[in-house]
Each structure stands twice: as structure tokens, then as C-alpha cells.
Amino acid sequence: MSRQVFFYDLPDRFVAGTVGLPGRRSFFLQAVASGRVTSVALEKTQVAALAERIDELLDEVVRRSGGSAPVPAVSPAEMADTAPLETPVEEEFRVGTMALAWDGDEERMIVEAQALVELEADSDEDLADAEERLLQDDENGPPMLRVRLTGTMARAFAKRALDVVNAGRPPCPLCSLPLDPEGHVCPRQNGYRRDA
């Protein structure tokens, strides 16, 4: 069976979003164009890392171009997308690896999210060989979401993604672990609550 690639070139919408309540949220990347919707699931840490890497790559593009690249320094306010994910959210796959690139000829950010694949091997060397074969197999590899964005679209994606990550449970001022609505047992207080 050939590899399934969900390709979006300048989609109408490409966002990170969540389903569920803080503390029990599921994170998704969602691309929308011409009535097509593709949603892929990933971890909160992957969303944060993707957003940070996009900003870093865009900053580097601006630096190397001497400021002439069509990339804004910050996300333009008019590009803010605060709408929820398109429903129903149907997961195509769970993301394992992601890649970023800047196409300097067409001045586009390329974001790739590839499905998580379980590899079995008898040794670390066999596992490394299996991973290398998988990465080189463009035709029969795991499903992939590939999105091409302008610099402005990429900045807007990164801002929203970081906002989504930070919209979870607030951190405890003592231990920085998330505070639950039901209460929080802080390890910095030896598990005891202080009376004020």
C-alpha cells in the first residue's frame, strides 16, 4: 500500500487546538482547505516544540535575509485565529516525528508531521537500520501531513499554538506543577496544605 500524504499548500486554516477540559485535553494539528479537513493528534510537548522551532526558523530566515524576507517579526493581530477546531475532530493518525524546512525559492515554510510507527528489532543496531529504512522509504512510509505556509501564516500558527499550550491549568507558585480544580498536593510542602 502506498504512503498516504495529506498535502495542503497555503491552506485556508492551519492551527493547533484541543479537545477536552484542562488536565484532560487532547492536542491536535488541523489543516482545512476547500472543504477538506485533516486532524492529527499529538502531545502537548510536541505542540510547544513545534511552535518554538517555527519561531526560531523564521527568526533565522529574517536574520539571514537581512530583513528582506517576507516574514513578520511577530504575528500580525489581524491573523489571530481563536476559533475552535472544526468538528467533528476525526484523528487521522498520532504524530511521531515532525520536520520543518524553509523553501527559499518560493518563500514558504514546510511543516511535516509523520505518523508514529512502532519498530521492532533484536538489537539497537537493527533498530537504527529499521529507522533509516523507514526515513528513506518515501513511497511506502507511514501517513504524513505536509503543509506549506507563508511566513505570516507560520508566525500566526506558532503564536496560537503557544497560546493553546499555555491555556491549560495554571502552575503552582511553589512547585510549578499544574494546579487541579479538585486540589493540589504540593511536594514542596511535603504534601500538606498550609493554613493561612
Side-chain angles (χ1 to χ4, degrees):
M1 187 168 99
S2 65
R3 169 183 241 175
Q4 186 173 17
V5 176
F6 302 93
F7 179 65
Y8 289 83
D9 189 13
L10 303 179
D12 299 333
R13 187 173 191 226
F14 180 58
V15 295
T18 61
V19 173
L21 298 172
R24 293 173 182 77
R25 297 185 299 169
S26 297
F27 288 79
F28 293 89
L29 297 180
Q30 189 176 75
V32 180
S34 304
R36 283 189 318 142
V37 178
T38 302
S39 303
V40 297
L42 68 171
E43 299 297 321
K44 177 180 181 178
T45 55
Q46 288 175 298
V47 174
L50 178 61
E52 290 166 5
R53 298 300 180 271
I54 286 174
D55 273 338
E56 289 171 5
L57 180 55
L58 292 174
D59 290 345
E60 183 65 15
V61 167
V62 170
R63 187 187 69 74
R64 286 188 182 190
S65 72
S68 66
V71 176
V74 295
S75 178
E78 66 272 8
M79 292 291 291
D81 181 347
T82 58
L85 295 174
E86 299 287 327
T87 56
V89 178
E90 296 176 2
E91 177 184 324
E92 295 292 341
F93 58 84
R94 178 158 288 282
V95 175
T97 59
M98 294 183 290
L100 289 177
W102 178 259
D103 180 344
D105 294 334
E106 296 195 21
E107 298 180 325
R108 299 285 186 260
M109 168 77 67
I110 301 165
V111 179
E112 291 183 348
Q114 186 170 281
L116 180 65
V117 176
E118 297 289 329
L119 296 175
E120 294 182 22
D122 296 331
S123 69
D124 287 344
E125 191 174 291
D126 290 343
L127 183 59
D129 289 343
E131 287 174 344
E132 185 64 29
R133 282 192 309 275
L134 182 66
L135 290 173
Q136 292 176 356
D137 191 359
D138 285 340
E139 194 173 304
N140 298 311
M144 176 192 303
L145 171 64
R146 179 178 292 143
V147 182
R148 291 171 38 90
L149 306 166
T150 65
T152 303
M153 293 168 74
R155 278 283 190 217
F157 170 86
K159 180 173 182 342
R160 176 187 164 121
L162 289 174
D163 290 347
V164 165
V165 166
N166 294 328
R169 298 171 289 172
C172 171
L174 298 176
C175 69
S176 299
L177 291 173
L179 293 171
D180 289 319
E182 304 87 43
H184 170 68
V185 179
C186 180
R188 299 263 327 256
Q189 293 183 3
N190 294 328
Y192 293 100
R193 295 183 195 270
R194 284 190 191 168
D195 292 329

